[in-house]
Amino acid sequence: MSAARFEQIALIGIGLIGSSIAHAARRAGLAGRIVGSARTAATVEKALQLGIVDEGFQTAAEAARGSDLIVLCTPVGMCGPIAREIAEAGAFSDAAILTDVGSVKGAIVRDVAPHVPVGVHFVPGHPIAGTEQSGPEAGFAELFDGRWCILTPPENCDAAAVARLKAFWQGLGSHVETMTPEHHDRVLAITSHVPHLIAFNIVNTAGHLERVTDREVIKFSAGGFRDFTRIAASDPTMWRDVFLNNKQAVLEMLQRFSEDLTALQRAIRYDEGDTLHRLFSEARTLRRGIIEAGQDTDAPDFGRRTTTHQAGADEKA
Ligand code: NAP
């Protein structure tokens, strides 16, 4: 049997990420059974209808019972309470691996680790892949292909459990890297969290310019603004939890961002064309580096695919 294969995988939360894990695990033959739970009965029902889970439950504890891999795929703020619920029900199997997919890692370790019984291996994770879509219908097997998944195992974590989870994510199509939760949160603050905040903000700023909103914002949105509106369509609950749980790193990166923005403002105000040209050239070089690293294409329109579920899969996390 492959080390990456689990007898029963429990998905706690069956939205975009949970359902994509199910599709990718089935594609790679990594699951004997897949079970799941969600907040609402409607989502569990939908996941059953779509064949994402073999069995659905109303509670996380019922789904976790008897599972050798439990993946928390809910908004970040729910991970701690759910781990506590499973622990209090005595539903963790001995030697099970507990992981999550949350976009923040320090707060998840803080909230989940106290509830993990001895003998259960907690290995936090974060696939750097996603779209602005939510729900069980949004998932697809290719979501993780060629994307990174970051694991943040605690120092005393069982090495065999980490290796097994790493093999699982590789089986789902990902490259895997390990780092500390603190490092993860600083990196993701600048690569994902602050960009989302900027998108939410710029779309609202345009929306508040009432005269423009009705027609021109939509009519002329083929420019950069269109990309911001797509990112700003991301799930408000998920992103509320990201910002509330990665405060320190986000605020630090925002401070740096506003200093750099002030430098640009100043260059514009004082007609410092050379400064603007230099700063824009630096940004362009960074973009080329991303393409060379295979994390995007240089095709026109960012090589964006036209299928709705894959559009923009590269930018989200
Ligand atoms: P999603 O599509 O909105 O799905 C969230 C799921 O969590 C839903 O099935 C929801 O159930 C369930 N849920 C919410 N509260 C719950 C609770 N108290 N108990 C049990 N289930 C609960 O979200 P997603 O995009 O898959 O994101 C899930 C996680 O992945 C988040 O932590 C996010 O940070 C992380 N992530 C997201 C992306 C992305 O681009 N979207 C990328 C990487 C990582 P209902 O449907 O019944 O409400």
Side-chain angles (χ1 to χ4, degrees):
M1 187 186 82
S2 154
R5 186 180 153 86
F6 291 87
E7 285 307 315
Q8 180 169 301
I9 299 176
L11 301 170
I12 314 300
I14 322 169
L16 168 72
I17 301 295
S19 61
S20 295
I21 290 174
H23 289 303
R26 288 191 202 284
R27 179 186 67 174
L30 297 181
R33 284 178 90 227
I34 300 179
V35 302
S37 71
R39 190 175 53 90
T40 61
T43 292
V44 175
E45 189 54 39
K46 183 51 97 182
L48 279 166
Q49 267 173 24
L50 295 172
I52 293 166
V53 293
D54 298 304
E55 195 172 1
F57 295 96
Q58 289 312 312
T59 67
E62 287 171 285
R65 198 175 293 282
S67 300
D68 48 350
L69 177 65
I70 301 155
V71 192
L72 306 178
C73 307
T74 66
V76 167
M78 283 316 301
C79 291
I82 287 172
R84 186 181 60 216
E85 178 204 321
I86 300 172
E88 285 177 356
F92 280 117
S93 299
D94 195 36
I97 295 178
L98 171 67
T99 188
D100 74 292
V101 295
S103 308
V104 168
K105 296 275 57 86
I108 296 248
V109 171
R110 178 197 67 201
D111 295 347
V112 171
H115 305 296
V116 181
V118 175
V120 172
H121 308 297
F122 175 40
V123 188
H126 177 202
I128 313 295
T131 75
E132 66 279 13
Q133 312 289 336
S134 307
E137 306 92 335
F140 54 103
E142 300 80 19
L143 179 64
F144 309 113
D145 287 348
R147 301 287 151 217
W148 285 95
C149 178
I150 297 174
L151 301 182
T152 64
E155 266 177 25
N156 58 355
C157 196
D158 180 58
V162 179
R164 203 166 168 212
L165 190 63
K166 182 175 175 188
F168 178 74
W169 275 106
Q170 287 170 335
L172 300 188
S174 290
H175 308 298
V176 180
E177 187 149 318
T178 58
M179 61 180 68
T180 65
E182 297 72 27
H183 188 68
H184 168 279
D185 288 354
R186 289 193 87 237
V187 172
L188 268 292
I190 191 62
T191 58
S192 171
H193 305 169
V194 167
H196 275 80
L197 201 69
I198 292 167
F200 290 128
N201 194 46
I202 200 166
V203 170
N204 280 343
T205 303
H208 296 155
L209 299 172
E210 280 174 21
R211 273 189 54 241
V212 185
T213 317
D214 290 344
R215 293 179 297 123
E216 283 163 308
V217 165
I218 294 163
K219 185 171 161 190
F220 298 123
S221 68
F225 185 70
R226 187 192 56 176
D227 288 334
F228 283 120
T229 60
R230 184 178 52 72
I231 295 171
S234 301
D235 185 66
T237 307
M238 167 186 158
W239 284 98
R240 176 201 64 195
D241 281 14
V242 167
F243 291 112
L244 293 181
N245 287 283
N246 196 19
K247 256 185 211 180
Q248 205 184 333
V250 166
L251 292 177
E252 182 199 327
M253 295 307 164
L254 270 180
Q255 179 61 36
R256 287 168 176 259
F257 176 80
S258 41
E259 282 168 21
D260 291 342
L261 190 63
T262 303
L264 283 173
Q265 266 175 290
R266 200 185 150 78
I268 294 169
R269 186 179 307 283
Y270 295 109
D271 293 318
E272 293 168 2
D274 288 351
T275 306
L276 291 176
H277 193 272
R278 178 175 56 76
L279 293 171
F280 298 161
S281 300
E282 282 174 20
R284 193 179 211 197
T285 306
L286 214 150
R287 165 76 194 162
R288 289 208 181 106
I290 291 172
I291 293 164
E292 277 161 28
Q295 293 298 303
D296 206 344
T297 95
D298 62 355
D301 198 20
F302 295 88
R304 192 151 292 134
R305 288 152 289 197
T306 46
T307 53
T308 48
H309 65 262
Q310 285 192 332
D314 303 345
E315 290 92 341
K316 312 280 296 177

